[in-house]
Amino acid sequence: MKRCLIPTTTLLLCAAAATLAGCSTGPRLVEGQVQSFSTLAAVPAPATYRIERLPSQQMPSFAPIAALAEQALGRAGLQRDDAAPKLLAQIGVQADTVPRRDPFAPFNAPYGGPWGFGGWHGRGWGFHGAWGFYEPTPLHRRAVSIVLRDAATQAVVYETSAVHEDVWVADPGVYGVLFDAALTGFPQPPQGPRQVRLPLAAAPDAVPGVVR
């Protein structure tokens, strides 16, 4: 009996195609590495807040980011009240790339080109390197942070962050999901780092003005 041998490369390509096909049948899940710190025993009363923008966040292009954070804070049970806030919220976002190891590359070499996407608001993107033949695609890193302070005492009562790394990126939808992930468990989140998986919105481009 003649045996048919399928090359390993073909098997790998088929497996990758099957994985992509499976991913397309349902909502994409975004995995965020979340870490939170809280001194709150319960949701403050009244559960109101005001977003305090840093000087670098005064530009109009930051407004969509603030809107995504506001929606996530609302889903966590907080209500925006600029006139009489119980809490003051500071938010941040970051976009850059990180090296990735390719197990199929010679010598298992890491990605070496220092590419950089600058700025906490997706601004100031820079090209600093060149692709090499064996250099794997870098991971896109997206991160958000939220710090809540007591409006009366200025004491920090809640601090949280979420980070997502993937070869695929879908801004600004990823930022909205990460804000939700960062606020899971509010006001008493689990202790220590944790992974949170949430579905990505079907239409991330619905929020205009956010730089990809």
Side-chain angles (χ1 to χ4, degrees):
M1 179 182 295
K2 183 180 294 185
R3 299 178 62 185
C4 178
L5 299 179
I6 302 176
T8 302
T9 303
T10 303
L11 291 175
L12 291 173
L13 290 175
C14 291
T19 301
L20 290 174
C23 292
S24 63
T25 60
R28 174 189 164 196
L29 294 179
V30 174
E31 181 178 289
Q33 303 295 323
V34 178
Q35 191 164 8
S36 306
F37 305 90
S38 177
T39 63
L40 297 173
V43 177
T48 56
Y49 73 93
R50 180 178 69 228
I51 292 180
E52 297 280 277
R53 293 197 190 186
L54 299 174
S56 60
Q57 299 173 346
Q58 299 300 320
M59 62 186 69
S61 61
F62 192 78
I65 292 292
L68 291 172
E70 182 178 341
Q71 293 167 15
L73 289 165
R75 286 187 285 268
L78 299 176
Q79 180 180 359
R80 180 176 172 179
D81 186 346
D82 292 347
K86 176 69 174 178
L87 301 172
L88 302 177
Q90 287 187 345
I91 60 177
V93 297
Q94 187 177 28
D96 54 21
T97 59
V98 294
R100 180 171 67 94
R101 286 188 173 273
D102 186 349
F104 300 105
F107 313 110
N108 195 25
Y111 171 78
W115 293 55
F117 288 178
W120 274 85
H121 334 300
R123 290 293 185 180
W125 295 29
F127 174 84
H128 305 292
W131 283 98
F133 183 77
Y134 291 114
E135 293 173 349
T137 305
L139 293 174
H140 296 280
R141 183 179 185 273
R142 299 294 180 263
V144 303
S145 64
I146 300 177
V147 175
L148 300 178
R149 298 176 182 271
D150 185 287
T153 66
Q154 296 295 312
V156 175
V157 297
Y158 201 86
E159 179 185 1
T160 186
S161 62
V163 179
H164 173 69
E165 295 179 355
D166 200 348
V167 293
W168 307 103
V169 63
D171 296 332
V174 168
Y175 288 127
V177 175
L178 289 180
F179 278 126
D180 281 328
L183 288 167
T184 55
F186 178 83
Q188 293 183 301
Q191 296 294 317
R194 63 193 190 278
Q195 294 182 347
V196 177
R197 294 180 178 88
L198 295 175
L200 181 67
D205 291 333
V207 181
V210 177
V211 178
R212 283 176 177 267

